Each structure stands twice: as C-alpha cells, then as structure tokens.
Amino acid sequence: MTEISLQGQIKENAEGQRLDQALAELFSDYSRSRIQQWIKSGEVSVNDQIVNKIRAKVYGNELIKIQTELEAEVIWDAEDISIDIVHEDEDIIVVNKAAGLVVHPATGNWHGTLVNALLNHHADLEQLPRAGIVHRLDKDTTGLMVVAKTLKAHTHLVNELQLRNVNRQYICVVNGALTAGGMIDQPINRHPVKRKQMTVIEGGKPSITHYRIEQRFSYYTVLRVKLETGRTHQIRVHMSWFKHPLVGDPVYGGRLRQPPGVSSGFMKQIRNFNRQALHATKLGLIHPTSGEQMTWDADIPEDMKKLINVLEQEEQRL
C-alpha cells in the first residue's frame, strides 16, 4: 500500500463552504470524489477532530490533516507481456501500443491486455483507478498512450484531457481522394440499435476532429488528424460519416468497392489490410509534476508503411 499524508489550512474566506469543496481547493492534486471517499472513511481531521460528513460546513482557517493508504482498486492479474515503453519517470508511462492489444480487461478479454502488462511492469498501478489508464486506443489502433503512475498524476491528466490540453495526433488512411483539410464538428453517441457501435446523432456528445492531407492519391488519402475531443471511436465514426471511412475498418468501413482502373492485385492487398489504418503518432502534454511541456512521436508501424507503399506503387501505374 502507498501511504498519503497531507496537511494544510483552509483559506480564511472559505466560511460556509462544504468540507469536500474546501478540501478539493486546498488539495487540488486529488479529485473531489477521492476526497469525499477519504472524508466518509474517517481519514480527514479538522482541527485534530475526525469529520466524516462531506457536507459539513467550514468557517475558515481550520487545520486539515489527511492520513490514508491507497488500496488496490483492481483485481486483474499481472502478466509478462512485452510492451514498447517510450518514456517513463516517477509520474507517468508513455507506451507505443501494438495492434491487436486490448487496453483494458473486460468481458471476453480478461487477460492479455495492456493493463495486465502494465501491472507486471509496475505493481503499484493496482492502487489507481483503471490501473492508471486515462484514455484508450481501440484494440487494432496503434500508437502513443500515457498512463499515470500516481494519484496526483492521474487527477492532473484527467483534468487536462477534460480541458482539451492534451495534443493527440493520428495518421490514418481513408477511402476517397480529399482535396483539402478541414474540421468535422458532429455530435457522437452510442448507436440506438447497434449498442456496440457509436454514431453521429443529434443530442450526442460534442465531438470535434481536425484533419489535414499528408498524401493524396487518386482513390485514397493519408490524413493527419488532431482530436479536440476524445469520444469512443471518434475518428472512425467521423470519417465514416464524412463518407471517407478508414481503410480496413471492420465496423465503420462499409462495403469495399473497387475503384475504376486499379489492378486486382492492388485490391487484394487492400482487402488483406485487416484492421483500421489508424495510428496515434504524436502525444503532447504538460507534465503533472514539473509543469514541462513534453511531446513524443511514434513512427507509423510496418503494416501501414507497406499499405502506403502499395498506394504509391499503384498511383504510379495508373
């Protein structure tokens, strides 16, 4: 277990505030829900008296002490699974996720996930919500993800994601020849019938995707995409709605059509690309402890390099 010992004084002008509100401001490295848990479990003292009511009012200038231990929040097994760690320090881990690796254990995938691998690498992650995972990539999407190693880092990263301060850029290959970059601002929510899928739908959550052209071919386009929001399957859903679905997308790709003039050998290679052509290539964030702006880049994986090479060769033939 990890011990946490905090001490501070409520500000003078806080009179009338709820205890949990005042403590969330005093100890801003920790979420309000976490502080509420500590209050309810009797781990918070006000002027050396235990107070376990989150709605208790404060008067200002009270001395606060919090003494607690982080217990395991997950019960998943640590597994010796190879992962590509591109950066690690006392607060965060940045990984370059491989295709086919599920991020989080769930029904049908209790083992062999990124979380299982991370628990093997750093056992203390079991004490954090979702083992430090603050954002996800789909099973067959590759690229950069950040994982929190401490509760403070977890709170910071969740807040930064909510404030849209994390720079997440992707490379993808889509069907169709785009002529210019742009922005897709369309709400996304769960599909009303196909419950495992997401869709653009009125009343959904605000979702914004920016894209620009990296390479353009006669019938396909390589895009660099930047997320302003982070909805489930956002890029895949937005590009499908835009009538330019990702190559290889088994869910949102639609029926594969053979463009006029392309070779049968070329189409066979397109069909054989059996995952969405999507890679998280850049990640930028403010470090939770140092405040430093940090950025990482991950080159596209070999299968996407080969796909783009096939597109280049076919373009020369046309």
Side-chain angles (χ1 to χ4, degrees), residues 46-232:
V46 180
N47 292 334
D48 294 323
Q49 298 293 319
I50 297 295
V51 177
N52 56 15
K53 295 181 179 179
I54 62 175
R55 296 177 179 272
K57 300 298 183 182
V58 301
Y59 298 94
N61 292 321
E62 289 97 331
L63 178 64
I64 302 297
K65 294 179 182 178
I66 300 177
Q67 193 72 38
T68 186
E69 292 180 334
L70 293 183
E71 298 180 357
E73 292 214 6
V74 298
I75 56 174
W76 306 300
D77 296 327
E79 298 178 23
D80 187 8
I81 301 169
S82 177
I83 50 176
D84 181 8
I85 296 177
V86 300
H87 172 85
E88 182 173 11
D89 56 41
E90 293 183 355
D91 300 285
I92 60 174
I93 302 172
V94 177
V95 301
N96 184 12
K97 191 186 84 66
L101 184 62
V102 174
V103 169
H104 202 276
T107 302
N109 291 289
W110 292 114
H111 299 281
T113 73
L114 177 61
V115 165
N116 298 117
L118 287 167
L119 290 171
N120 182 70
H121 175 75
H122 186 67
D124 287 349
L125 290 176
E126 70 176 4
Q127 300 167 356
L128 300 180
R130 297 188 176 274
I133 300 292
V134 294
H135 67 121
R136 301 189 188 190
L137 295 177
D138 297 335
K139 174 184 177 181
D140 289 323
T141 298
T142 58
L144 296 170
M145 288 181 56
V146 62
V147 179
K149 290 178 68 176
T150 68
L151 194 55
K152 174 183 175 181
H154 187 275
T155 302
H156 170 84
L157 292 172
V158 168
N159 288 340
E160 288 293 283
L161 285 162
Q162 290 175 344
L163 293 171
R164 305 180 183 179
N165 290 336
V166 178
N167 181 6
R168 289 171 291 169
Q169 295 185 25
Y170 297 74
I171 296 293
C172 64
V173 184
V174 302
N175 289 273
L178 279 76
T179 57
M183 178 184 73
I184 302 174
D185 183 358
Q186 292 292 328
I188 291 176
N189 216 329
R190 195 158 297 281
H191 196 287
V193 177
K194 303 172 183 178
R195 301 303 293 171
K196 292 185 178 181
Q197 297 183 26
M198 309 300 287
T199 189
V200 168
I201 189 168
E202 185 177 355
K205 296 178 181 178
S207 308
I208 300 174
T209 301
H210 302 269
Y211 63 92
R212 73 169 192 254
I213 295 173
E214 291 279 299
Q215 281 183 276
R216 183 171 56 236
F217 304 100
S218 295
Y219 302 109
Y220 299 89
T221 309
V222 181
L223 297 177
R224 178 173 291 266
V225 177
K226 183 176 180 181
L227 289 183
E228 189 169 325
T229 55
R231 309 304 176 201
T232 301

